[in-house]
């Protein structure tokens, strides 16, 4: 019998949630599962769910970095009619697919604006389906206390069989950023970090001399993921380069498509000689593996790419609004000698240059490789093993809450 798993994911600002869900989809498909991914964020071209099927719901995204409102694809606040149409699609797809396993990415720890459609998904799923939440290693700390946290714990205990925590408890436990998780400790299953498989190397002609052969020093790669933030970091990087930082090397600025065409054109127009400005690329990790330095934000997926590439790195965590997740994870890795952190509040060209030079001197590739080897990075495949084990227990009528 082929097992069927349905993954619900909603990205609002960046694309990290979708990338992680897609990596899980590929792992489950490789293991013989039938997979459907319900994606509620903006369409991301090239999203690879492996042998799974991607169902694009009517897209919703955050109005700004403070998540002050959720907008539809026309830039209008979503309303009851929008929610009803999406809910109808979710229910229809769930009834058609009849999943054995339902995974809600980030919910109920976040995305509560979409609880109506997720509740409808639960109601449409077959009786006895295994229901799991999927969360990254660190949550925004403001959600871990008080009545909101109590409601999350209550919902987990009532509607969920477990929580897949995509992190390494030897580095940080979920309770460190979400203290209320003590109330669901018996439902937590640590998978290790989810690392995406690197695609084949597909460098365009202008990079061949810089990468293959590697006679000269490697590039400086500056990246901000695929989301709608990071323009300040890209600007500071250009300022540092104009000030003479590593100006004997080619610099490559990778721009998230959600930053928009105007920002992209502005960066290209202001880039000095020796600086290439491109849209974010699928061969990002291959670029990193040949770089002499990475400068980036500190999203979950980007940090995993940095660790696997073993490149000296400076990260500038996104900290707008109440965001604390990127800074907390980055500092944990920095304390292990894996990267350097420059707080967003201190970001300018001069400070970035100082941090970059320190990182190159202090972060040796051989030492980085040894330190990375101690971290659990098998999160996608381990998720498959955990889900398969829990599904077997569920079918046998065994208790779910014993880890």
């Amino acid at each position: 019998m082929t097992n069927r798993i349905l993954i619900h994911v909603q990205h609002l600002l960046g694309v990290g949630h979708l990338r992680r869900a897609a990596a899980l989809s590929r792992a489950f498909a490789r293991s013989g599962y039938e997979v459907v991914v319900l994606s509620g964020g903006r369409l991301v071209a090239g999203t690879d769910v492996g042998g799974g099927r991607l169902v694009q719901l009517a897209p919703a995204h955050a109005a700004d970095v403070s998540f002050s409102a959720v907008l539809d694809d026309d830039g209008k606040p979503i309303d009851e009619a929008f929610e009803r149409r999406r809910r109808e699609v979710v229910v229809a797809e769930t009834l058609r697919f009849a999943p054995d396993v339902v995974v809600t990415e980030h919910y109920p720890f976040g995305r509560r604006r979409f609880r109506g459609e997720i509740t409808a998904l639960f109601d449409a799923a077959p009786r006895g389906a295994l229901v799991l939440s999927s969360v990254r290693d660190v949550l925004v700390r403001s959600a871990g206390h008080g009545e909101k946290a109590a409601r999350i714990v209550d919902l987990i205990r009532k509607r969920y069989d477990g929580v897949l925590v995509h992190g390494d408890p030897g580095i940080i436990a979920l309770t460190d950023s979400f203290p209320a998780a003590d109330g669901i400790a018996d439902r937590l299953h640590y998978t290790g970090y989810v690392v995406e498989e690197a695609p084949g190397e597909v460098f365009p002609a202008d990079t061949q001399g810089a990468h293959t052969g590697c006679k000269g020093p490697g590039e400086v790669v500056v990246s901000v993921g695929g989301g709608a933030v990071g323009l300040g970091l890209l600007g500071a990087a250009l300022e540092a380069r104009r000030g003479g930082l590593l100006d004997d090397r080619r610099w490559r600025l990778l721009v998230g498509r959600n930053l928009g065409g105007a920002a992209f054109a502005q960066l290209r127009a202001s880039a000095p000689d020796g600086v290439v400005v491109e849209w974010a690329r699928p061969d990002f990790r291959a670029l990193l593996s040949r770089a002499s330095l990475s400068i980036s934000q500190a999203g979950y997926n980007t940090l995993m790419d940095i660790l696997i590439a073993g490149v000296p790195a400076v990260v500038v965590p996104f900290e707008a609004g109440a965001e604390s997740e990127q800074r907390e994870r980055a500092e944990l890795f920095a304390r292990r000698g894996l990267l350097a952190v420059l707080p967003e509040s201190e970001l300018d060209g001069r400070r970035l240059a100082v941090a970059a030079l320190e990182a190159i001197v202090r972060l040796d590739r051989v030492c980085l490789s040894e330190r990375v080897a101690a971290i659990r990075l098998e999160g996608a495949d381990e998720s498959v093993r955990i889900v398969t084990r829990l599904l077997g227990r569920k079918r046998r009528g065994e208790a779910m809450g014993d880890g």
Side-chain angles (χ1 to χ4, degrees):
M1 179 178 66
T2 301
N3 294 322
R4 297 178 300 277
I5 182 168
L6 184 150
I7 302 172
H8 179 285
V9 56
Q10 175 68 55
H11 63 283
L12 289 173
L13 192 62
V15 299
H17 293 279
L18 179 60
R19 285 181 59 188
R20 192 161 48 251
L24 291 175
S25 174
R26 294 192 297 272
F28 278 98
R30 286 195 304 270
S31 299
Y33 277 73
E34 292 183 29
V35 187
V36 166
V37 178
L38 301 180
S39 176
R42 283 172 162 169
L43 179 65
V44 177
T47 299
D48 178 14
V49 296
R53 180 165 63 91
L54 178 66
V55 177
Q56 178 64 54
L57 305 175
H61 65 277
D64 51 43
V65 297
S66 68
F67 298 89
S68 60
V70 178
L71 309 179
D72 65 17
D73 221 22
D74 295 323
K76 300 176 181 177
I78 64 174
D79 55 17
E80 290 184 8
F82 177 94
E83 293 173 348
R84 183 181 64 254
R85 290 192 298 270
R86 279 202 12 165
R87 190 164 58 245
E88 289 170 352
V89 174
V90 166
V91 169
E93 291 290 344
T94 304
L95 290 172
R96 182 181 302 117
F97 187 53
D100 302 293
V101 183
V102 171
V103 175
T104 59
E105 203 281 334
H106 199 44
Y107 184 84
F109 299 92
R111 304 299 186 261
R112 285 174 291 277
R113 185 69 172 80
F114 301 90
R115 62 178 170 268
E117 74 181 43
I118 294 175
T119 299
L121 188 165
F122 290 158
D123 293 342
R127 184 179 179 86
L130 181 72
V131 179
L132 301 169
S133 175
S134 166
V135 296
R136 58 198 176 201
D137 56 336
V138 180
L139 298 175
V140 175
R141 282 188 172 271
S142 59
H145 302 273
E147 293 182 6
K148 182 187 293 185
R151 287 195 297 270
I152 293 169
V153 168
D154 184 60
L155 183 56
I156 291 289
R157 300 211 67 86
K158 287 180 177 177
R159 298 299 301 262
Y160 285 80
D161 297 299
V163 179
L164 302 174
V165 184
H166 300 305
D168 183 342
I171 294 177
I172 187 169
L174 188 66
T175 48
D176 291 339
S177 60
F178 187 78
D182 280 334
I184 49 172
D186 60 334
R187 307 289 175 96
L188 302 182
H189 303 272
Y190 289 89
T191 69
Y193 287 97
V194 174
V195 176
E196 298 182 82
E197 320 91 285
E201 298 180 359
V202 287
F203 301 118
D206 78 304
T207 68
Q208 294 299 321
H211 294 299
T212 58
C214 257
K215 292 182 180 178
E219 291 184 343
V220 176
V221 176
V222 184
S223 62
V224 293
V229 295
L231 189 57
L233 173 57
L234 294 167
L238 286 178
E239 182 185 345
R241 173 62 169 69
R242 290 192 200 98
L245 174 65
L246 302 175
D247 57 5
D248 60 329
R249 311 176 192 201
R250 184 194 308 232
W251 284 51
R252 188 172 302 277
L253 273 60
L254 302 177
V255 184
R257 288 194 176 270
N258 286 338
L259 274 174
F264 183 82
Q266 175 188 344
L267 288 164
R268 268 203 165 171
S270 61
D273 290 343
V275 176
V276 176
V277 178
E278 298 180 308
W279 293 114
R281 296 165 44 146
D283 57 350
F284 174 59
R285 195 188 303 166
L287 292 174
L288 285 185
S289 70
R290 289 158 173 76
S292 58
L293 176 69
S294 169
I295 298 172
S296 71
Q297 291 188 304
Y300 180 105
N301 298 293
T302 298
L303 289 195
M304 294 307 106
D305 287 336
I306 288 169
L307 294 186
I308 294 299
V311 60
V314 176
V315 301
V316 182
F318 173 65
E319 298 184 74
E323 292 295 315
S324 59
E325 167 250 330
Q326 288 199 13
R327 174 78 175 267
E328 187 161 353
R329 182 186 303 108
E331 289 183 342
L332 285 168
F333 287 165
R335 286 198 288 273
R336 289 174 171 263
L338 294 166
L339 47 80
V341 178
L342 178 64
E344 190 174 56
S345 61
E346 299 177 13
L347 177 62
D348 61 29
R350 183 185 63 79
R351 291 188 180 95
L352 183 59
V354 170
L357 292 173
E358 289 179 352
I360 288 176
V361 170
R362 196 164 48 83
L363 300 173
D364 173 79
R365 281 185 181 270
V366 174
C367 292
L368 287 173
S369 178
E370 293 173 352
R371 293 164 187 161
V372 169
I375 301 173
R376 292 175 54 186
L377 298 173
E378 70 284 5
D381 290 337
E382 182 63 15
S383 294
V384 176
R385 289 189 285 269
I386 291 170
V387 169
T388 302
R389 184 174 71 246
L390 292 177
L391 184 57
R393 288 185 189 175
K394 182 91 171 182
R395 286 171 171 162
R396 293 189 300 270
E398 299 176 7
M400 291 283 101
D402 60 357

